[in-house]
Each structure stands twice: as structure tokens, then as C-alpha cells.
Amino acid sequence: MRCFIALELPLEIKIKLGDIIGQLKKTGADVKWVDPANIHLTLKFLGETPEADALRAGLALSTLKGKFKAIDSGLGGLGAFPSVDRPKVIWAGLSQGAEEIKEIYRQVEKLTADISQEDKAREFSPHLTLGRVRSNKNLMQLRDAINQAVILQKGFEFNRLVLLKSTLTSEGAIYSELNGVELV
């Protein structure tokens, strides 16, 4: 099964990100947008994972229960990887909480180092993926919309870590929670 570990977002933030996606869709850019209900902050992609390893990952995450305090965060603007000039992945950034999230990432990485297929050469950068660009159609309009976006500051907390199973369908990914851990 295809699995990953993520921090859950409050519903109201998913709704707000859905509004932002709605604004970006008006550019007519060819982007595969993430269903707002599925937006999360991925800490580690495990890839195709045998059931026994998924169980081990879930048990490892359980050891983090109550080990952290809630992470105060907030939406902090839009951007793109590798850059807004050459967008491939459209993301929303965080206004605060990045260092605390990186500490959780380091703990998750340590606990699941022998399970993952993730590219460890990449530096972890906390972000919320909103969509993936499929072609150059209306890229100028998309770049302008990203650069001009105004995101009202709305604070929220990350307080739940989840192990999710991802099932790819023609309609998009379907996520199923395999294990959830309260950080506080």
C-alpha cells in the first residue's frame, strides 16, 4: 500500500485553502488541484509499503503521543517549487511554526528511517501542496495570481500526526487513516 505521514489541518483552514484554490483556478492554468479535504502537511512519504512495515510505522508514531505541544501556526503566503517563474508545484507557506514542525519531522525520520523510499537528499521544507502544474497553459496568469495573492492571517494549531494510506483513482487520491497520534 502507498503510505505517508502527515500533520492534519483544522477543517476551517482546509476551507480557506479551498477558497484560495478557487481563486487560482480562475487563471485557467492547467493544474491538477488538490481536493481541499485532502490538504495536509506531509512529513514523510513512505511510498509503496508492505502491510507489516505500515504497521511498524504506525507503532513507531504511537511513541510520539503526548511528546510535543500544539504547534501554533498560520498561513503565510503562496509560492511554487522550483520557483514562481517555473512553477511545478503550487504551495501555501506557513507564517510560523516551521522549526517545531522540523523537529517533529526529525523524530519521524528517525523512527521510520528503515521503512521509507523517500529521497533523503532533499531538504525538508514545511508547506501545504495546493496543486501540480501539468502544462504551460496560462502560466503567466498563474504567476501573477500567486504573486498578487493576499492571504489573511489566520492562526491555527497542528496537534495531530497521522499515517495515511493513499489510493490513487482516476478521480484523484483517496486517503484513509491507518493510525493517528495526538501530539499533545
Side-chain angles (χ1 to χ4, degrees):
M1 71 184 86
R2 195 167 185 256
C3 297
F4 62 96
I5 298 167
L7 289 169
E8 273 191 341
L9 283 170
L11 179 60
E12 68 181 288
I13 299 304
K14 290 182 178 186
I15 292 170
K16 185 169 193 61
L17 291 170
D19 292 343
I20 292 167
I21 288 172
Q23 291 297 314
L24 295 175
K25 280 182 177 178
K26 292 178 183 175
T27 65
D30 185 17
V31 177
K32 172 76 174 157
W33 297 106
V34 176
D35 179 341
N38 286 340
I39 297 175
H40 53 268
L41 195 151
T42 300
L43 292 175
K44 185 168 183 175
F45 182 70
L46 299 175
E48 284 299 323
T49 309
E51 191 170 334
D53 285 346
L55 180 61
R56 283 192 314 125
L59 291 173
L61 293 184
S62 295
T63 65
L64 297 178
K65 182 177 181 179
K67 300 275 174 131
F68 298 91
K69 59 183 183 180
I71 300 168
D72 291 326
S73 195
L75 298 177
L78 299 181
F81 293 130
S83 71
V84 174
D85 291 333
R86 295 183 308 122
K88 296 291 181 199
V89 175
I90 311 301
W91 50 260
L94 303 173
S95 62
Q96 58 184 351
E99 288 308 313
E100 293 87 347
I101 292 168
K102 286 179 180 178
E103 178 54 31
I104 294 172
Y105 165 78
R106 285 188 282 273
Q107 293 296 319
V108 166
E109 182 62 36
K110 191 170 147 185
L111 290 169
T112 61
D114 63 333
I115 297 173
S116 173
Q117 298 175 5
E118 182 177 308
D119 178 6
K120 294 180 180 174
R122 290 189 306 175
E123 182 178 339
F124 175 68
S125 176
H127 66 277
L128 304 165
T129 298
L130 303 181
R132 291 180 168 73
V133 176
R134 294 189 284 208
S135 76
N136 290 334
K137 180 183 172 192
N138 292 341
L139 274 187
M140 178 98 56
Q141 293 87 339
L142 180 63
R143 288 182 201 130
D144 289 346
I146 291 170
N147 287 328
Q148 295 169 7
V150 176
I151 297 178
L152 297 176
Q153 294 298 312
K154 174 80 176 153
F156 63 92
E157 292 182 343
F158 287 106
N159 54 27
R160 193 156 194 273
L161 185 62
V162 290
L163 172 64
L164 297 170
K165 173 183 168 186
S166 173
T167 304
L168 301 178
T169 72
S170 59
E171 304 299 315
I174 298 172
Y175 300 143
S176 308
E177 184 176 317
L178 299 175
N179 194 5
V181 176
E182 302 299 325
L183 295 173
V184 180

